[in-house]
Amino acid sequence: MKITIDTTKCSGHARCAAAAPEMFELDDSGYALPYAGEVPAGHEDDAREGVLACPERAITFE
Ligand code: F3S
């Protein structure tokens, strides 16, 4: 499973980090830090929750 954060779509809602703090990090202004790559084993459900939590659809997974 891979996720990608499109930081150009991020509006700083911070719901991704609230849903899965071990998967999503925010910068000092509350915007998601870039991430693109494999989700570590055992974090698939967390990643999925973070993806679904983003109202801007800035995070995608495959
Ligand atoms: Fe940004 Fe969406 Fe997270 S707007 S901070 S990627 S919930």
PDB file of all heavy atoms in Angstrom, residues 5 9-16 26 30-32 53-56 58-59, ligand 1:
ATOM      1  N   ILE A   5       0.749  12.413  -0.486  1.00  0.00           N
ATOM      2  CA  ILE A   5       0.103  13.645  -0.050  1.00  0.00           C
ATOM      3  C   ILE A   5       0.413  14.725  -1.072  1.00  0.00           C
ATOM      4  O   ILE A   5       1.573  15.041  -1.324  1.00  0.00           O
ATOM      5  CB  ILE A   5       0.609  14.085   1.335  1.00  0.00           C
ATOM      6  CG1 ILE A   5       0.316  13.000   2.379  1.00  0.00           C
ATOM      7  CG2 ILE A   5      -0.053  15.407   1.747  1.00  0.00           C
ATOM      8  CD1 ILE A   5       0.897  13.312   3.756  1.00  0.00           C
ATOM      9  N   LYS A   9      -2.810  20.643  -2.419  1.00  0.00           N
ATOM     10  CA  LYS A   9      -4.235  20.580  -2.081  1.00  0.00           C
ATOM     11  C   LYS A   9      -4.477  20.739  -0.589  1.00  0.00           C
ATOM     12  O   LYS A   9      -5.613  20.937  -0.164  1.00  0.00           O
ATOM     13  CB  LYS A   9      -4.830  19.247  -2.541  1.00  0.00           C
ATOM     14  CG  LYS A   9      -4.924  19.079  -4.029  1.00  0.00           C
ATOM     15  CD  LYS A   9      -5.615  17.757  -4.344  1.00  0.00           C
ATOM     16  CE  LYS A   9      -5.790  17.556  -5.831  1.00  0.00           C
ATOM     17  NZ  LYS A   9      -6.406  16.236  -6.107  1.00  0.00           N
ATOM     18  N   CYS A  10      -3.438  20.607   0.220  1.00  0.00           N
ATOM     19  CA  CYS A  10      -3.585  20.667   1.679  1.00  0.00           C
ATOM     20  C   CYS A  10      -3.949  22.085   2.108  1.00  0.00           C
ATOM     21  O   CYS A  10      -3.319  23.054   1.697  1.00  0.00           O
ATOM     22  CB  CYS A  10      -2.291  20.236   2.351  1.00  0.00           C
ATOM     23  SG  CYS A  10      -2.344  20.395   4.150  1.00  0.00           S
ATOM     24  N   SER A  11      -4.994  22.163   2.950  1.00  0.00           N
ATOM     25  CA  SER A  11      -5.423  23.458   3.477  1.00  0.00           C
ATOM     26  C   SER A  11      -5.229  23.549   4.980  1.00  0.00           C
ATOM     27  O   SER A  11      -5.767  24.459   5.622  1.00  0.00           O
ATOM     28  CB  SER A  11      -6.898  23.696   3.136  1.00  0.00           C
ATOM     29  OG  SER A  11      -7.072  23.766   1.738  1.00  0.00           O
ATOM     30  N   GLY A  12      -4.527  22.576   5.551  1.00  0.00           N
ATOM     31  CA  GLY A  12      -4.190  22.643   6.972  1.00  0.00           C
ATOM     32  C   GLY A  12      -5.300  22.231   7.920  1.00  0.00           C
ATOM     33  O   GLY A  12      -5.330  22.685   9.060  1.00  0.00           O
ATOM     34  N   HIS A  13      -6.176  21.339   7.478  1.00  0.00           N
ATOM     35  CA  HIS A  13      -7.261  20.893   8.365  1.00  0.00           C
ATOM     36  C   HIS A  13      -6.747  20.028   9.523  1.00  0.00           C
ATOM     37  O   HIS A  13      -7.419  19.907  10.548  1.00  0.00           O
ATOM     38  CB  HIS A  13      -8.305  20.112   7.578  1.00  0.00           C
ATOM     39  CG  HIS A  13      -9.078  20.955   6.614  1.00  0.00           C
ATOM     40  ND1 HIS A  13     -10.029  21.861   7.013  1.00  0.00           N
ATOM     41  CD2 HIS A  13      -9.026  21.045   5.249  1.00  0.00           C
ATOM     42  CE1 HIS A  13     -10.551  22.463   5.951  1.00  0.00           C
ATOM     43  NE2 HIS A  13      -9.948  21.993   4.863  1.00  0.00           N
ATOM     44  N   ALA A  14      -5.610  19.396   9.317  1.00  0.00           N
ATOM     45  CA  ALA A  14      -4.942  18.587  10.353  1.00  0.00           C
ATOM     46  C   ALA A  14      -5.723  17.354  10.771  1.00  0.00           C
ATOM     47  O   ALA A  14      -5.396  16.721  11.770  1.00  0.00           O
ATOM     48  CB  ALA A  14      -4.616  19.439  11.584  1.00  0.00           C
ATOM     49  N   ARG A  15      -6.747  16.991  10.032  1.00  0.00           N
ATOM     50  CA  ARG A  15      -7.526  15.811  10.405  1.00  0.00           C
ATOM     51  C   ARG A  15      -6.758  14.522  10.161  1.00  0.00           C
ATOM     52  O   ARG A  15      -7.004  13.514  10.830  1.00  0.00           O
ATOM     53  CB  ARG A  15      -8.847  15.793   9.634  1.00  0.00           C
ATOM     54  CG  ARG A  15      -9.754  16.938  10.017  1.00  0.00           C
ATOM     55  CD  ARG A  15     -11.070  16.846   9.302  1.00  0.00           C
ATOM     56  NE  ARG A  15     -11.856  18.064   9.482  1.00  0.00           N
ATOM     57  CZ  ARG A  15     -13.008  18.294   8.873  1.00  0.00           C
ATOM     58  NH1 ARG A  15     -13.519  17.407   8.045  1.00  0.00           N
ATOM     59  NH2 ARG A  15     -13.655  19.423   9.089  1.00  0.00           N
ATOM     60  N   CYS A  16      -5.866  14.557   9.178  1.00  0.00           N
ATOM     61  CA  CYS A  16      -5.063  13.360   8.904  1.00  0.00           C
ATOM     62  C   CYS A  16      -4.215  13.011  10.121  1.00  0.00           C
ATOM     63  O   CYS A  16      -4.195  11.862  10.569  1.00  0.00           O
ATOM     64  CB  CYS A  16      -4.187  13.577   7.674  1.00  0.00           C
ATOM     65  SG  CYS A  16      -3.146  15.066   7.758  1.00  0.00           S
ATOM     66  N   LEU A  26       2.678  17.188  10.598  1.00  0.00           N
ATOM     67  CA  LEU A  26       2.341  18.539  10.156  1.00  0.00           C
ATOM     68  C   LEU A  26       3.534  19.466  10.342  1.00  0.00           C
ATOM     69  O   LEU A  26       4.357  19.256  11.244  1.00  0.00           O
ATOM     70  CB  LEU A  26       1.162  19.078  10.980  1.00  0.00           C
ATOM     71  CG  LEU A  26      -0.094  18.213  11.018  1.00  0.00           C
ATOM     72  CD1 LEU A  26      -1.146  18.873  11.918  1.00  0.00           C
ATOM     73  CD2 LEU A  26      -0.652  17.962   9.623  1.00  0.00           C
ATOM     74  N   GLY A  30       0.740  23.804  10.541  1.00  0.00           N
ATOM     75  CA  GLY A  30      -0.386  22.870  10.554  1.00  0.00           C
ATOM     76  C   GLY A  30      -0.700  22.233   9.218  1.00  0.00           C
ATOM     77  O   GLY A  30      -1.736  21.589   9.062  1.00  0.00           O
ATOM     78  N   TYR A  31       0.215  22.380   8.266  1.00  0.00           N
ATOM     79  CA  TYR A  31       0.029  21.751   6.958  1.00  0.00           C
ATOM     80  C   TYR A  31       0.775  20.419   6.926  1.00  0.00           C
ATOM     81  O   TYR A  31       1.832  20.270   7.553  1.00  0.00           O
ATOM     82  CB  TYR A  31       0.544  22.658   5.837  1.00  0.00           C
ATOM     83  CG  TYR A  31      -0.325  23.869   5.601  1.00  0.00           C
ATOM     84  CD1 TYR A  31      -0.253  24.972   6.440  1.00  0.00           C
ATOM     85  CD2 TYR A  31      -1.230  23.888   4.541  1.00  0.00           C
ATOM     86  CE1 TYR A  31      -1.070  26.079   6.236  1.00  0.00           C
ATOM     87  CE2 TYR A  31      -2.039  24.989   4.328  1.00  0.00           C
ATOM     88  CZ  TYR A  31      -1.960  26.078   5.172  1.00  0.00           C
ATOM     89  OH  TYR A  31      -2.774  27.164   4.964  1.00  0.00           O
ATOM     90  N   ALA A  32       0.217  19.486   6.183  1.00  0.00           N
ATOM     91  CA  ALA A  32       0.820  18.161   6.112  1.00  0.00           C
ATOM     92  C   ALA A  32       2.194  18.231   5.443  1.00  0.00           C
ATOM     93  O   ALA A  32       2.367  18.908   4.429  1.00  0.00           O
ATOM     94  CB  ALA A  32      -0.090  17.217   5.333  1.00  0.00           C
ATOM     95  N   ALA A  53     -10.052  10.997   6.254  1.00  0.00           N
ATOM     96  CA  ALA A  53     -10.317  12.151   7.117  1.00  0.00           C
ATOM     97  C   ALA A  53     -10.079  13.485   6.414  1.00  0.00           C
ATOM     98  O   ALA A  53     -10.586  14.513   6.863  1.00  0.00           O
ATOM     99  CB  ALA A  53      -9.439  12.072   8.363  1.00  0.00           C
ATOM    100  N   CYS A  54      -9.345  13.478   5.329  1.00  0.00           N
ATOM    101  CA  CYS A  54      -8.981  14.746   4.693  1.00  0.00           C
ATOM    102  C   CYS A  54     -10.117  15.280   3.819  1.00  0.00           C
ATOM    103  O   CYS A  54     -10.471  14.660   2.816  1.00  0.00           O
ATOM    104  CB  CYS A  54      -7.728  14.575   3.837  1.00  0.00           C
ATOM    105  SG  CYS A  54      -7.283  16.129   3.014  1.00  0.00           S
ATOM    106  N   PRO A  55     -10.691  16.422   4.169  1.00  0.00           N
ATOM    107  CA  PRO A  55     -11.801  16.965   3.390  1.00  0.00           C
ATOM    108  C   PRO A  55     -11.373  17.516   2.032  1.00  0.00           C
ATOM    109  O   PRO A  55     -12.217  17.751   1.166  1.00  0.00           O
ATOM    110  CB  PRO A  55     -12.356  18.075   4.283  1.00  0.00           C
ATOM    111  CG  PRO A  55     -11.209  18.498   5.121  1.00  0.00           C
ATOM    112  CD  PRO A  55     -10.375  17.264   5.338  1.00  0.00           C
ATOM    113  N   GLU A  56     -10.069  17.740   1.859  1.00  0.00           N
ATOM    114  CA  GLU A  56      -9.572  18.278   0.586  1.00  0.00           C
ATOM    115  C   GLU A  56      -9.180  17.178  -0.395  1.00  0.00           C
ATOM    116  O   GLU A  56      -8.767  17.460  -1.516  1.00  0.00           O
ATOM    117  CB  GLU A  56      -8.351  19.174   0.838  1.00  0.00           C
ATOM    118  CG  GLU A  56      -8.582  20.311   1.809  1.00  0.00           C
ATOM    119  CD  GLU A  56      -9.591  21.327   1.308  1.00  0.00           C
ATOM    120  OE1 GLU A  56      -9.798  21.412   0.088  1.00  0.00           O
ATOM    121  OE2 GLU A  56     -10.179  22.024   2.154  1.00  0.00           O
ATOM    122  N   ALA A  58      -6.571  15.470  -0.280  1.00  0.00           N
ATOM    123  CA  ALA A  58      -5.169  15.737  -0.612  1.00  0.00           C
ATOM    124  C   ALA A  58      -4.308  14.484  -0.512  1.00  0.00           C
ATOM    125  O   ALA A  58      -3.164  14.495  -0.954  1.00  0.00           O
ATOM    126  CB  ALA A  58      -4.630  16.809   0.333  1.00  0.00           C
ATOM    127  N   ILE A  59      -4.865  13.438   0.091  1.00  0.00           N
ATOM    128  CA  ILE A  59      -4.090  12.214   0.293  1.00  0.00           C
ATOM    129  C   ILE A  59      -4.738  11.092  -0.509  1.00  0.00           C
ATOM    130  O   ILE A  59      -5.944  10.880  -0.413  1.00  0.00           O
ATOM    131  CB  ILE A  59      -4.045  11.820   1.779  1.00  0.00           C
ATOM    132  CG1 ILE A  59      -3.716  13.031   2.655  1.00  0.00           C
ATOM    133  CG2 ILE A  59      -3.019  10.705   2.012  1.00  0.00           C
ATOM    134  CD1 ILE A  59      -3.950  12.787   4.134  1.00  0.00           C
TER     135      ILE A  59
HETATM  136 FE1  F3S B   1      -3.927  18.839   4.910  1.00  0.00          FE
HETATM  137 FE2  F3S B   1      -5.937  17.223   4.594  1.00  0.00          FE
HETATM  138 FE3  F3S B   1      -4.228  16.750   6.471  1.00  0.00          FE
HETATM  139  S1  F3S B   1      -6.012  19.419   4.334  1.00  0.00           S
HETATM  140  S2  F3S B   1      -3.426  18.730   7.067  1.00  0.00           S
HETATM  141  S3  F3S B   1      -3.799  16.724   4.301  1.00  0.00           S
HETATM  142  S4  F3S B   1      -6.431  16.589   6.652  1.00  0.00           S
END
